[in-house]
Amino acid sequence: MMAEIIHLCVGSTNPVKVNAAKKAFACVFPNHVINCTEMKALSGVAEQPMTEAETRLGAQNRVRYCFDNASKANVNDKGMDYWVAMEGGVDKFNEGAASFSYVAVLTKDGDLFTGRSANLPLPRKIFKRLQQGEELGPVMDEIFNTSNIRQKGGAIGLLTNHAATRESVYTQALILALAPALHLQHY
């Protein structure tokens, strides 16, 4: 018996985000083949979102952009089962500044599921630089003497000594966001 194929469009060309989506869907749908198409998607928010609301909106805007523009990007939108997007951001909480991500999943039936990752506490000096308009990835590259960390382990990898990575956090957030897709009758 041949496995069913899930056609997935990821609103990014960043290998970290694409791999996270593939892993999450493979985990949630273990008896399926995951066919993944990547697409550059606009967020409609700042390059470095500085609030939870802006970060959530960025993920939702990206997933809607993919859905609305799939045919323009040579993505066979009629055959897609899911569209997925991720957005990393920062905010200041009672416990201090933190980085986190929002994920958005849109089904072919138009259901939108949104999820969020855990918080990664940020050092004050790094958050101050973000408040002055810098982006987290380049700041981390400078401080840790790395190159293009956002397409590798991310700030999460650097600050946890790679116990967690940007990909692992996106994967977990996507798995949790997909719970309603698995049990629509309960949602």
Side-chain angles (χ1 to χ4, degrees), residues 124-142:
R124 280 188 286 266
K125 68 180 181 179
I126 291 174
F127 187 66
K128 280 185 181 184
R129 289 181 62 178
L130 302 180
Q131 288 177 308
Q132 295 168 356
E134 294 185 67
E135 286 183 60
L136 184 58
V139 170
M140 296 303 291
D141 280 338
E142 180 187 318

Side-chain angles (χ1 to χ4, degrees), residues 26-39:
C27 184
V28 171
F29 301 104
N31 298 322
H32 292 74
V33 172
I34 308 303
N35 181 342
C36 189
T37 301
E38 51 191 71
M39 177 180 172

Side-chain angles (χ1 to χ4, degrees), residues 61-140:
N61 284 349
R62 284 184 195 276
V63 82
R64 287 185 182 110
Y65 180 93
C66 289
F67 182 82
D68 293 341
N69 293 283
S71 60
K72 295 177 195 169
N74 294 322
V75 173
N76 179 9
D77 59 329
K78 302 278 190 267
M80 288 296 151
D81 298 300
Y82 295 92
W83 290 262
V84 175
M86 294 150 256
E87 187 74 32
V90 298
D91 206 339
K92 186 151 187 179
F93 302 94
N94 290 340
E95 302 80 22
S99 174
F100 51 87
S101 301
Y102 268 91
V103 299
V105 178
L106 189 60
T107 71
K108 64 183 173 187
D109 297 325
D111 295 315
L112 176 65
F113 307 120
T114 303
R116 187 189 184 284
S117 74
N119 280 356
L120 170 72
L122 288 177
R124 280 188 286 266
K125 68 180 181 179
I126 291 174
F127 187 66
K128 280 185 181 184
R129 289 181 62 178
L130 302 180
Q131 288 177 308
Q132 295 168 356
E134 294 185 67
E135 286 183 60
L136 184 58
V139 170
M140 296 303 291

